[in-house]
């Protein structure tokens, strides 16, 4: 999503040829008009949600999870398909309470087709 003009041009041509488009992203950016244009040209987003617990997300990544959650809501509200990924990091992102909160959040979204949870060994 750092190369919006390139993505818009590429995805426009791919769409003309009937080729599906997908973006793998963390979703940690503002929903600018340029981002929204790329979203309209994208068939599927693979979205990482680092941790539903904002404090833990800030500790792990240095940034809040609010933009990625807002991005997921925007995709859902605009009928864009998404696959959600969460990495379980022992002692950080594996708390049952947080996983249940993630589940509750995902149930509010209409276009989640797949949820992938992976573990990391430390």
């Amino acid at each position: 999503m750092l190369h919006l003009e390139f993505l818009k041009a590429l995805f426009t041509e791919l769409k003309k040829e009937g080729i599906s488009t997908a973006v793998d992203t963390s979703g940690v950016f503002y929903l600018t008009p340029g981002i929204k244009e790329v979203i309209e040209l994208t068939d599927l987003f693979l979205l990482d949600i680092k941790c539903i617990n904002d404090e833990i997300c800030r500790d792990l990544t240095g940034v809040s999870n609010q933009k990625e959650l807002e991005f997921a809501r925007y995709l859902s509200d605009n009928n864009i398909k998404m696959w959600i990924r969460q990495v379980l990091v022992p002692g950080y992102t594996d708390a049952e309470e947080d996983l249940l909160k993630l589940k509750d959040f995902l149930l509010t979204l209409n276009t989640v087709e797949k949820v992938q949870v992976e573990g990391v060994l430390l």
Side-chain angles (χ1 to χ4, degrees):
M1 300 298 274
L2 295 174
H3 305 284
L4 292 180
E5 294 306 316
F6 172 77
L7 278 178
K8 285 190 282 187
L10 175 64
F11 283 13
T12 297
E13 293 304 313
L14 291 172
K15 290 292 199 176
K16 287 179 186 175
E17 297 296 322
I19 299 171
S20 296
T21 57
V23 171
D24 188 340
T25 183
S26 67
V28 181
F29 42 75
Y30 293 105
L31 290 165
T32 64
I35 294 286
K36 290 178 181 180
E37 287 179 56
V38 170
I39 291 170
E40 290 175 16
L41 293 167
T42 306
D43 297 306
L44 172 68
F45 279 88
L46 288 75
L47 178 62
D48 293 328
I49 295 182
K50 304 298 185 249
C51 186
I52 196 74
N53 181 314
D54 193 48
E55 184 178 325
I56 292 171
C57 188
R58 286 175 190 266
D59 187 44
L60 286 173
T61 67
V63 296
S64 171
N65 66 7
Q66 294 309 298
K67 287 181 189 169
E68 63 194 48
L69 300 180
E70 178 184 331
F71 184 71
R73 283 188 200 101
Y74 184 86
L75 294 178
S76 179
D77 291 347
N78 288 277
N79 203 34
I80 306 293
K81 297 174 188 175
M82 66 184 114
W83 294 358
I84 302 294
R85 293 184 303 207
Q86 162 104 39
V87 175
L88 294 183
V89 179
Y92 286 98
T93 63
D94 60 350
E96 182 177 355
E97 176 183 328
D98 291 338
L99 294 173
L100 291 171
K101 188 175 175 184
L102 175 64
K103 175 187 151 199
D104 291 343
F105 172 73
L106 296 179
L107 288 173
T108 70
L109 304 175
N110 299 317
T111 59
V112 175
E113 291 190 331
K114 180 178 178 180
V115 177
Q116 182 178 356
V117 179
E118 295 185 11
V120 172
L121 299 176
L122 296 178

